[in-house]
């Protein structure tokens, strides 16, 4: 039988089934129709000799989902499903409608507490990016009439009810879950809101994807305390819980946190810790945890460990104070957990990988890098948006993270797909796998050469050693070049209810 596309003679690694062998893969109509030792042929053929054939990487923590330039660099890093699950969007239906037919990769989002709070506190708020909170606040704060009240204002009882209403409406519109960024509104968001988020997730059978309240390794506001705030609500109300970039919150207490998650899982609780393979993060200079009272004594860092992204220049106290007063949404990078903590945590058998890909800005003027045809070398931004998955594979090859390659792949594919499927996203049972009758999201990489090339100074340089990427049966990276004018991306979402 002829296939639309065949991938021949590759080392197929499917963590879900345990397959690790030379096989041929036949694709028909966007679905994997054969994984076989037999000879097969197709309309298009890829010689995968010497390459690993793996499920396309799933990134639950991607602030560039459905943004053309962000998609472009993610695809070169093997990501076929970049999902905006931390900050989320609102209105959810508007965001999905905007994405339809326009994406090279699969797309999906939670409903976010940031947007729900902004809509509640600021009647003048007007989304510019169809509910995409990060881009409204980062790229268009004036056009969206953002006030910043979402971060600092403590809601009244009536306002808490309204916030909960926006969250429930988003879940009814098919949101993957609830994105809760308590760490960006430490003094504004109430614990009651955290409880409501988990209660609604339990009610709808979804998950909470959280940037926990504290980034600290010191009492009384340790990262562990922030985790426990949400875990307590989960124990009562159910629903899944993903602790995003957890090493950036727990820091030196990361191993203790992972032990805590494992103990919860042993009781049947659906909880997961996510990590990016960097010891520095990316955010806005006005982030609560970067305030000197926290960043110094509680995170063990100094002001020069914060780098202004546009100029790649370490901050001074004077520059920090100036930006806080005049431009608090300025992009910065900042050192957090130690490299040793990052590597140890990535090696933990139950953690998964996520990039926290952050919006890129043009080197020329600091404006957002949005369009597909923006050159890779013309942007600044955290390198994780372009290099996370290749970097992790390189770390595994070099034994900085001493785990088998199939487990490394599982941390970027099947473990994530299983968590999402377990928490209300049924279609994920068809992703994260190279098996017959599953979606043909596939990445081919050279295990001996795959590497990240993005740096602090050139954050958009694409990964290499990933010559082919397939989304729903369509080739989107061919011979290490992005393919233009194909839009095979499909929505990843829960069922829409009344």
């Amino acid at each position: 039988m002829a296939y639309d596309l065949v991938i021949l003679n590759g080392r197929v690694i499917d963590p879900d089934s345990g397959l690790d062998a030379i096989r041929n893969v036949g694709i028909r109509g966007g679905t994997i129709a054969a994984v076989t030792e037999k000879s097969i042929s197709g309309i298009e053929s890829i010689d995968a000799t010497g390459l690993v054939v793996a499920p396309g990487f799933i990134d639950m923590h991607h602030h560039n989902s459905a943004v053309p330039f962000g998609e472009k660099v993610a695809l070169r890093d093997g990501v076929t499903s970049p999902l905006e699950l931390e900050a989320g969007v609102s209105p959810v239906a508007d965001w999905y409608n905007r994405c339809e037919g326009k994406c090279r990769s699969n797309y999906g989002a939670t409903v976010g507490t940031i947007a729900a709070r902004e809509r509640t506190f600021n009647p003048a708020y007007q989304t510019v990016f169809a509910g995409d909170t990060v881009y409204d606040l980062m790229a268009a704060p004036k056009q969206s009439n953002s006030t910043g009240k979402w971060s600092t204002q403590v809601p009244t009882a009536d306002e808490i009810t309204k916030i909960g209403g926006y969250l429930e409406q988003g879940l009814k519109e098919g949101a993957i879950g609830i994105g809760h960024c308590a760490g960006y509104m430490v003094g504004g968001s109430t614990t009651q809101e955290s409880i409501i988020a988990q209660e609604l997730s339990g009610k709808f059978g979804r998950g909470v994807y959280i940037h926990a309240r504290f980034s600290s390794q010191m009492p009384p506001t340790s990262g562990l305390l922030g985790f426990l705030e949400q875990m307590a609500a989960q124990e009562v109300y159910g629903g899944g819980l993903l602790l995003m970039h957890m090493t950036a919150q727990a820091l030196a207490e990361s191993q203790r946190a992972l032990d805590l998650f494992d103990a919860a899982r042993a009781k049947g609780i659906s909880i997961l810790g996510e990590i990016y393979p960097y010891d520095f993060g990316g955010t806005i200079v006005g982030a609560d945890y970067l305030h000197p009272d926290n960043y110094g004594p509680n995170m063990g860092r100094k002001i020069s460990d914060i780098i202004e992204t546009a100029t790649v220049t370490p901050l001074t106290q004077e520059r920090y104070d100036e930006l806080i007063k005049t431009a608090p949404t300025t992009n910065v990078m900042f050192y957090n957990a130690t490299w040793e903590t990052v590597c140890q945590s990535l090696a933990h058998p139950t953690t998964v990988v996520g990039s926290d890909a952050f919006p890129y800005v043009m080197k020329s003027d600091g404006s957002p890098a949005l369009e597909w045809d923006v050159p890779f070398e013309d942007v600044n931004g955290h390198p994780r948006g372009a290099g996370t998955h290749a970097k992790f594979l390189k770390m595994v090859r070099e034994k900085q993270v001493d785990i088998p390659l199939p487990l490394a792949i599982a941390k970027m594919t099947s473990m994530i797909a299983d968590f999402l499927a377990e928490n209300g996203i049924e279609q994920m049972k068809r992703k994260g796998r190279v098996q017959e009758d599953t979606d043909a999201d596939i990445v081919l990489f050279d295990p001996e050469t795959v590497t990240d090339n993005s740096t602090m100074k050139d954050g958009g340089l694409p990964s290499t050693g990933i010559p082919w990427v397939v989304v729903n049966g369509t080739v989107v990276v061919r011979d290490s070049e992005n393919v233009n004018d194909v839009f095979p991306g499909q929505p990843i979402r829960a069922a829409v209810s009344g």
Side-chain angles (χ1 to χ4, degrees):
M1 298 176 63
Y3 299 93
D4 300 330
L5 174 67
V6 294
I7 302 170
L8 305 177
N9 304 313
R11 178 188 172 188
V12 174
I13 298 182
D14 176 53
D16 180 66
S17 66
L19 177 65
D20 183 354
I22 303 300
R23 292 289 188 271
N24 298 319
V25 178
I27 297 168
R28 185 184 298 112
T31 298
I32 297 174
V35 180
T36 179
E37 296 179 79
K38 297 179 180 178
S39 297
I40 57 176
S41 62
I43 298 170
E44 182 174 6
S45 177
I46 299 172
D47 181 5
T49 303
L51 301 177
V52 169
V53 179
F57 303 145
I58 305 164
D59 191 342
M60 291 186 285
H61 197 167
H62 206 287
H63 299 301
N64 294 320
S65 181
V67 177
F69 180 78
E71 283 188 274
K72 182 168 77 166
V73 292
L75 286 167
R76 291 291 298 276
D77 199 40
V79 178
T80 56
S81 298
L83 308 175
E84 169 55 283
L85 303 191
E86 182 203 40
V89 304
S90 183
V92 169
D94 291 356
W95 186 83
Y96 275 102
N97 289 339
R98 184 198 71 167
C99 298
E100 187 175 359
K102 300 176 182 177
C103 293
R104 279 88 169 177
S105 48
N106 301 310
Y107 53 92
T110 57
V111 57
T113 55
I114 290 179
R117 286 169 61 85
E118 181 76 351
R119 294 177 71 184
T120 297
F121 298 146
N122 178 15
Y125 173 62
Q126 181 64 49
T127 180
V128 177
F129 290 91
D132 190 320
T133 305
V134 169
Y135 272 86
D136 276 348
L137 302 181
M138 289 286 305
K142 292 182 179 179
Q143 298 94 315
S144 64
N145 300 313
S146 174
T147 62
K149 290 180 180 180
W150 63 268
S151 177
T152 59
Q153 185 162 323
V154 178
T156 65
D158 287 344
E159 288 169 335
I160 288 175
T161 299
K162 191 172 184 179
I163 290 166
Y166 283 130
L167 298 179
E168 184 160 8
Q169 182 59 37
L171 292 172
K172 289 179 178 178
E173 292 174 357
I176 288 173
I178 294 176
H180 186 32
C181 289
Y184 281 93
M185 39 200 180
V186 173
S189 181
T190 62
T191 296
Q192 190 172 347
E193 292 166 77
S194 298
I195 293 171
I196 288 171
Q198 201 68 52
E199 182 180 10
L200 286 170
S201 290
K203 175 182 175 181
F204 282 84
R206 315 266 174 89
V208 170
Y209 300 81
I210 189 169
H211 179 143
R213 191 179 296 271
F214 303 121
S215 293
S216 169
Q217 54 199 12
M218 298 291 289
T221 56
S222 74
L224 283 179
L225 186 62
F227 296 166
L228 290 168
E229 175 185 28
Q230 201 67 32
M231 291 175 71
Q234 184 191 25
E235 175 74 19
V236 175
Y237 290 110
L241 180 60
L242 178 74
L243 284 304
M244 307 196 106
H245 50 40
M246 51 82 57
T247 55
Q249 274 65 66
L251 303 163
E253 296 183 317
S254 292
Q255 186 57 55
R256 188 69 187 91
L258 291 172
D259 292 342
L260 189 67
F261 302 164
D262 287 345
R265 257 191 310 277
K267 293 184 174 182
I269 296 171
S270 181
I271 188 168
L272 206 56
E274 178 217 74
I275 302 164
Y276 48 61
Y278 298 86
D279 58 357
F280 61 98
T283 187
I284 57 174
V285 71
D288 288 348
Y289 49 86
L290 294 186
H291 190 281
D293 289 347
N294 185 74
Y295 192 61
N298 292 339
M299 293 184 69
R301 294 293 185 176
K302 54 187 183 296
I303 197 70
S304 59
D305 289 331
I306 305 173
I307 296 97
E308 191 169 349
T309 301
T311 61
V312 200
T313 303
L315 293 188
T316 61
Q317 188 63 53
E318 292 74 20
R319 180 60 174 164
Y320 173 84
D321 292 340
E322 176 189 355
L323 291 173
I324 290 295
K325 290 179 181 178
T326 62
T329 60
T330 299
N331 283 20
V332 295
M333 293 176 277
F334 65 100
Y335 284 93
N336 46 48
T338 66
W339 183 244
E340 180 183 23
T341 292
V342 170
C343 291
Q344 288 176 344
S345 300
L346 284 167
H348 192 84
T350 60
T351 58
V352 297
V353 174
S355 71
D356 193 8
F358 209 60
Y360 283 97
V361 297
M362 300 299 297
K363 289 181 178 179
S364 57
D365 59 7
S367 63
L370 301 174
E371 301 306 326
W372 178 263
D373 59 0
V374 170
F376 296 114
E377 62 273 13
D378 285 5
V379 306
N380 273 337
H382 196 296
R384 65 194 180 194
T388 287
H389 299 81
K391 181 180 181 69
F392 179 55
L393 289 169
K394 181 182 177 184
M395 291 168 67
V396 170
R397 179 176 70 238
E398 295 177 348
K399 302 297 183 184
Q400 296 178 70
V401 178
D402 194 7
I403 59 175
L405 182 58
L407 176 57
I409 293 171
K411 286 172 176 281
M412 300 184 285
T413 60
S414 59
M415 289 171 63
I416 295 171
D418 289 347
F419 179 83
L420 289 166
E422 179 180 290
N423 289 289
I425 313 302
E426 286 289 317
Q427 71 196 100
M428 295 308 293
K429 293 178 180 178
R430 294 178 53 86
K431 294 192 181 294
R433 293 156 174 79
V434 183
Q435 299 173 19
E436 292 183 9
D437 298 320
T438 62
D439 294 340
D441 295 340
I442 298 175
V443 58
L444 281 65
F445 67 88
D446 185 338
E448 301 303 320
T449 65
V450 61
T451 190
D452 59 309
N453 298 297
S454 53
T455 65
M456 273 194 179
K457 292 185 177 181
D458 289 295
L461 297 182
S463 298
T464 48
I466 305 177
W468 297 87
V469 179
V470 178
V471 174
N472 294 309
T474 297
V475 175
V476 290
V477 174
R478 182 190 305 275
D479 286 329
S480 299
E481 295 290 340
N482 289 96
V483 179
N484 196 13
D485 296 327
V486 294
F487 303 94
Q490 295 295 313
I492 294 174
R493 67 193 301 184
V496 177
S497 58

